[in-house]
Amino acid sequence: MIKQSPERSFKNFLILPSVIVLLCFLFVFFYGVYLSFTDLKLGKPTINFVGLKNYIYLWKNPLFWKSTKLTIYFTLVAVFVQALLGILLAKLFSTNVFFAKIFRPIILLPLVLPPMSVALMWTTMMNPERGVLNYFLGLFGIEPFMWISQYSTAMLSVIFIDVWTYTPFFTLIIYAGLLGVNQEMKEAAQEAGAGAWITFWKIELPFMMPYVLIAAVFRIIESFNQFDIFIGTTGGGPAKATTVYSIYAYIQSFQNLNFGRGTAILFVNWWLVLIGALITIKLYQIARNRVS
Amino acid sequence: MKKIKIFFSAILFSLISTIALADFDWKKYAGEKIVFAYDIHPYVDALVEKLPEFEALTGIKVDAQIFPDDVYWNKLNLEITTDSGAWDVAGTGVQPTWDTSVGNHNVDLSKFLNDPSMTSPDYDYNDIYPSLRSAMTWDIKGEEVVGNGNGVWGLPHSFENMNLMYRNDILGKHNIKPPKTLPELTATCKKLKQVEPGITPMALRGVNFWSSVHTAPASIAKSYGVVDYVMKDGKIADTGLDSKASIKFHKDYVAMVKECAAKSWPNDNWYQVVDALTSGNAAMAVDANMFGFWNNIKDPDGKNPSGKISFAPPPTAPGAKNFESNIWIWCITMPSASKKQGPAWYFMQWATSKKMVLDGAMMGKMVNPIRKSTWDSADWKKYANQPEFNNYYDTFMEVQDRAELFFTPRYGFGEAMNAWSVAMQEMVNGRPVEETLKELAGSIRAGI
């Protein structure tokens, strides 16, 4: 039998609280997974283990597949646009242009607003008849736009809101990365006759990419789980146009009281988040190795 | 001999009555404390204002926990279904109580109502409108809700019936009469668009939640002969949402929404409807009548469109004999997990007593009052017939005879009715009515 020194035992004792906290987290997660294999309905007195029944129901349900497409579409488009705008704004902020100085502190404002407030604010502004957005469009002779009130435009409108809210997050991270670009390399390239575009494309962008991708990991996780902006604007409508997983699970759990089915949707969502995050982390490692 | 029998019977009756009267004591639970939860609402404002009277009468302290609407309903579901025991009395509606009563999470109040030692002799349960009592009465068989039973799962506290409300200043200006049928309503909207292009003809709920079908659609659909469920031998056998009557109704209703509603209709809920009609951005609404009443009240700031909202019965199917009006009942229920059921019941009977209902109505808050005696009282008649309320009182009396709950009692009510509201959005978005209703009915049948 191996006897531990008192010092080692004391160290083990010190990490015990962390282990307990970790176990609590894992318990909640696995309890949620267990619920997805039951017919738990709020109010009903009995809970039965139903195996894969909830998953089979989802597999056969067209709304589940529609929701899958919407969730992936929302995440990919929103994160891509945010990354693109984030790079442009970060590049702008790294210059000494007058607007850059003004907007550098202001750009962070959307990030500090509670997402539900953001949703309610945009819902009011996007009212097709009395919203301020259509008023401004009207000044330029543009016909009123339906924004979140029409099937064909609702998802794009929510993506627009998400982009407005979270582009500053990308900007902040990428700007920090941009500050770390080796100035000597840039100067050497310029002396060798490289123009601004070549310098950006060949030197700055590769340096920025790890930062873009690390920000993307966080945003992919959050976008798959985005709930507040959807519930505060469209609630999944009109006519299922924005019923992403989080909304679908909420409707099943809290409106239809079917917690078993709701947790099954969230468990599928968890897999999507995991796959999305792992792919992005792999890309991050490749980008980082290139820079190294 | 007969006279002697009558004499002794009378003595016996008076003795029993005396014993019963003597048994009920408002101070029985003095010193106890209960927790009462409710949504932010004028109905609860009236109760909270009068709480000192209750505390003086009974010696029971009440901790009133009032929550914002957007968190209350989820919290209510979780508190009651998890038997937390944190609340002794909870404000809710009939439909949510169907879901929570099946697992015995709510107390069947008939045991208190039938116990003279627990219920004040002047409570007079039968004074509450029959349609409200009947809506709160059902039995639990297995894990199902069966209507028209003996169990009393809540006490009505205040209620709404659906009316056509209209801005008399706008309709009057163009000499437009309030429409009586659904096609007439659509035609009225068309006319209003021509003469008042700056406003929305009709404020209408359209969100993908059952709250948007329980107002105008449920009331008007019933006059077309639409039922949510078809009953056979006292059991739900089928849904009626893809019947011929339903197809006819939905075609007319979708046409009306396209002509009348705001472009933001899929996102419009109660708040938007109230705001549109009271601000004059909309000319009509088929919704809960009490918001028309509240906004007719004269306020010192002059913010209310006092006197400008008039009332009419909901529109009907063309050629229908009668109009129909759905109701939404705010009720108070007792979670089974409450450890203070006695004091909780005392609070519930006080909150729905003749005195409180009349006081609440006279404060202009507990409207519509649930008791017939309130509507018959000279004080309330005088108050509700003030000029600023227009024809509120008379319309209520006319509508109330035909006002009842449209929906069939059922666990899982929300799932099917939410699906109906989503189907409505799809039809307005252009999906064929027959195809949409067939799919809707198929999904509901799968759950029966």
Side-chain angles (χ1 to χ4, degrees):
Chain A
M1 195 175 163
I2 301 165
K3 202 174 178 183
Q4 285 188 343
S5 67
E7 192 188 351
R8 190 168 176 81
S9 298
F10 183 66
K11 280 179 182 170
N12 285 341
F13 176 74
L14 286 179
I15 62 163
L16 193 62
S18 313
V19 174
I20 291 170
V21 170
L22 185 67
L23 286 175
C24 288
F25 275 114
L26 288 175
F27 171 76
V28 173
F29 175 78
F30 283 110
Y31 185 67
V33 175
Y34 161 73
L35 289 181
S36 73
F37 294 103
T38 68
D39 63 355
L40 171 64
K41 284 189 167 188
L42 277 188
K44 289 260 180 178
T46 51
I47 307 173
N48 301 303
F49 183 80
V50 293
L52 292 170
K53 197 176 168 188
N54 290 324
Y55 292 96
I56 293 168
Y57 169 86
L58 294 178
W59 184 268
K60 290 179 177 172
N61 191 334
L63 181 55
F64 171 73
W65 293 108
K66 185 185 174 74
S67 184
T68 308
K69 280 183 204 162
L70 289 172
T71 309
I72 294 171
Y73 175 77
F74 168 77
T75 302
L76 291 182
V77 176
V79 173
F80 178 76
V81 176
Q82 285 162 19
L84 201 64
L85 290 177
I87 291 169
L88 293 176
L89 286 170
K91 182 76 184 124
L92 176 73
F93 288 170
S94 67
T95 65
N96 284 323
V97 178
F98 176 69
F99 282 115
K101 285 177 187 167
I102 293 176
F103 282 110
R104 228 175 273 158
I106 294 174
I107 191 81
L108 289 175
L109 283 179
L111 269 184
V112 297
L113 290 171
M116 192 51 114
S117 308
V118 168
L120 296 176
M121 181 182 83
W122 279 100
T123 302
T124 312
M125 293 200 299
M126 285 180 168
N127 185 298
E129 281 152 342
R130 306 188 192 283
V132 70
L133 292 185
N134 276 355
Y135 170 77
F136 284 126
L137 290 179
L139 294 179
F140 300 99
I142 301 170
E143 286 289 303
F145 193 66
M146 290 298 284
W147 302 106
I148 54 172
S149 300
Q150 195 173 55
Y151 188 90
S152 56
T153 55
M155 181 52 100
L156 286 175
S157 302
V158 177
I159 289 173
F160 179 79
I161 298 170
D162 196 76
V163 166
W164 179 85
T165 313
Y166 293 107
T167 295
F169 176 75
F170 268 97
T171 309
L172 192 71
I173 303 275
I174 298 167
Y175 178 59
L178 210 52
L179 292 178
V181 174
N182 191 323
Q183 289 301 314
E184 286 172 6
M185 278 179 76
K186 272 173 72 179
E187 285 163 14
Q190 279 158 4
E191 278 170 19
W197 172 248
I198 294 290
T199 312
F200 172 75
W201 187 250
K202 296 281 185 188
I203 298 172
E204 285 181 327
L205 193 60
F207 269 97
M208 268 192 258
M209 275 320 281
Y211 295 91
V212 173
L213 288 166
I214 205 69
V217 172
F218 288 106
R219 285 302 309 140
I220 282 171
I221 294 170
E222 286 179 22
S223 299
F224 273 119
N225 294 320
Q226 180 57 266
F227 175 74
D228 295 359
I229 291 179
F230 282 101
I231 201 77
T233 52
T234 62
K240 302 169 194 160
T242 55
T243 308
V244 290
Y245 275 164
S246 60
I247 293 290
Y248 190 28
Y250 172 80
I251 290 170
Q252 287 293 341
S253 303
F254 286 98
Q255 293 184 1
N256 300 346
L257 308 179
N258 201 328
F259 259 64
R261 213 175 272 168
T263 46
I265 296 164
L266 289 178
F267 190 46
V268 175
N269 189 46
W270 179 81
W271 276 108
L272 275 189
V273 172
L274 191 68
I275 292 165
L278 286 177
I279 291 171
T280 320
I281 288 169
K282 192 74 197 162
L283 291 173
Y284 164 78
Q285 285 167 341
I286 293 167
R288 209 167 159 208
N289 288 339
R290 273 186 67 192
V291 175
S292 303
Chain B
M1 188 65 186
K2 199 179 174 184
K3 280 184 181 172
I4 295 170
K5 268 187 183 172
I6 293 170
F7 176 73
F8 278 110
S9 300
I11 288 181
L12 192 65
F13 178 76
S14 56
L15 265 174
I16 291 168
S17 307
T18 313
I19 289 164
L21 280 173
D23 269 351
F24 181 78
D25 176 12
W26 278 111
K27 292 282 185 195
K28 187 174 176 181
Y29 295 105
E32 297 269 16
K33 190 179 174 189
I34 59 164
V35 175
F36 164 54
Y38 212 102
D39 194 42
I40 292 176
H41 201 286
Y43 291 164
V44 78
D45 292 347
L47 283 186
V48 169
E49 213 173 309
K50 290 278 179 181
L51 271 182
E53 283 184 19
F54 172 73
E55 292 177 350
L57 176 72
T58 62
I60 299 168
K61 288 274 173 210
V62 180
D63 175 10
Q65 297 186 357
I66 315 299
F67 298 92
D69 189 71
D70 52 352
V71 298
Y72 181 67
W73 294 100
N74 289 340
K75 193 166 173 57
L76 172 83
N77 261 333
L78 291 172
E79 287 286 350
I80 295 189
T81 56
T82 56
D83 293 323
S84 78
W87 296 350
D88 302 298
V89 180
T92 178
V94 178
Q95 290 89 330
T97 313
W98 290 336
D99 292 335
T100 52
S101 62
V102 287
N104 288 321
H105 301 294
N106 291 100
V107 175
D108 174 1
L109 303 172
S110 58
K111 70 176 180 186
F112 295 115
L113 277 169
N114 297 328
D115 181 353
S117 70
M118 287 299 288
T119 303
S120 170
D122 59 1
Y123 181 66
D124 195 3
Y125 179 60
N126 290 331
D127 180 39
I128 296 171
Y129 276 110
S131 60
L132 310 185
R133 277 184 283 125
S134 128
M136 293 305 318
T137 307
W138 61 85
D139 282 339
I140 306 296
K141 290 192 177 158
E143 292 190 3
E144 292 306 323
V145 176
V146 182
N148 303 318
N150 297 310
V152 178
W153 300 96
L155 294 179
H157 176 228
S158 283
F159 77 110
E160 310 161 0
N161 56 25
M162 304 306 153
N163 280 191
L164 168 69
M165 288 167 284
Y166 59 95
R167 293 286 300 227
N168 51 40
D169 52 338
I170 300 172
L171 266 63
K173 187 171 143 192
H174 304 290
N175 202 22
I176 296 172
K177 294 264 179 290
K180 288 190 184 309
T181 67
L182 187 52
E184 270 181 39
L185 175 59
T186 310
T188 305
C189 293
K190 203 170 184 177
K191 193 172 176 187
L192 271 167
K193 274 177 166 174
Q194 288 163 358
V195 294
E196 288 281 356
I199 62 163
T200 305
M202 177 104 173
L204 209 56
R205 303 190 200 188
V207 290
N208 54 356
F209 187 57
W210 65 262
S211 64
S212 57
V213 294
H214 97 116
T215 53
S219 302
I220 304 170
K222 196 176 175 189
S223 78
Y224 276 74
V226 180
V227 291
D228 57 349
Y229 290 103
V230 178
M231 304 296 288
K232 199 176 176 185
D233 301 329
K235 286 183 178 174
I236 291 173
D238 198 3
T239 175
L241 288 178
D242 61 346
S243 64
K244 278 184 183 169
S246 180
I247 291 168
K248 173 82 180 95
F249 159 71
H250 281 94
K251 282 183 175 169
D252 288 353
Y253 193 82
V254 167
M256 184 276 285
V257 173
K258 285 179 177 172
E259 191 67 61
C260 300
K263 289 194 172 82
S264 56
W265 173 80
N267 304 311
D268 286 350
N269 206 345
W270 156 257
Y271 300 103
Q272 288 75 23
V273 171
V274 174
D275 180 59
L277 193 71
T278 54
S279 64
N281 284 331
M284 298 180 287
V286 176
D287 213 293
N289 68 333
M290 85 294 173
F291 93 71
F293 175 89
W294 285 331
N295 284 289
N296 271 337
I297 292 175
K298 278 185 185 162
D299 64 332
D301 304 333
K303 284 179 185 168
N304 281 357
S306 180
K308 290 178 180 159
I309 299 175
S310 293
F311 303 82
T316 67
K321 279 184 188 167
N322 292 304
F323 61 82
E324 306 291 345
S325 172
N326 187 33
I327 54 176
W328 164 261
I329 304 169
W330 273 98
C331 58
I332 43 179
T333 58
M334 190 190 296
S336 302
S338 164
K339 291 188 172 58
K340 294 175 180 172
Q341 296 193 0
W345 170 247
Y346 269 42
F347 173 74
M348 291 171 80
Q349 61 176 305
W350 168 81
T352 56
S353 64
K354 283 184 179 173
K355 184 178 181 312
M356 185 62 227
V357 172
L358 179 61
D359 287 352
M362 294 299 292
M363 290 156 84
K365 289 181 175 171
M366 281 168 63
V367 177
N368 306 306
I370 55 165
R371 287 179 172 273
K372 194 168 178 312
S373 60
T374 310
W375 288 92
D376 291 340
S377 82
D379 287 344
W380 172 242
K381 269 184 192 170
K382 191 178 168 193
Y383 180 87
N385 276 306
Q386 291 175 97
E388 64 264 31
F389 296 121
N390 293 312
N391 57 344
Y392 162 76
Y393 186 94
D394 291 339
T395 310
F396 175 87
M397 297 310 264
E398 184 187 356
V399 169
Q400 185 54 24
D401 284 343
R402 299 204 61 79
E404 62 175 4
L405 195 63
F406 170 82
F407 302 105
T408 306
R410 181 172 183 251
Y411 174 84
F413 154 87
E415 184 164 6
M417 296 303 111
N418 290 339
W420 185 8
S421 65
V422 173
M424 196 71 94
Q425 289 190 341
E426 289 177 328
M427 289 182 278
V428 172
N429 191 51
R431 194 172 172 201
V433 170
E434 285 94 334
E435 179 192 305
T436 314
L437 292 179
K438 199 176 167 190
E439 187 182 292
L440 169 68
S443 73
I444 294 175
R445 278 187 194 110
I448 292 175

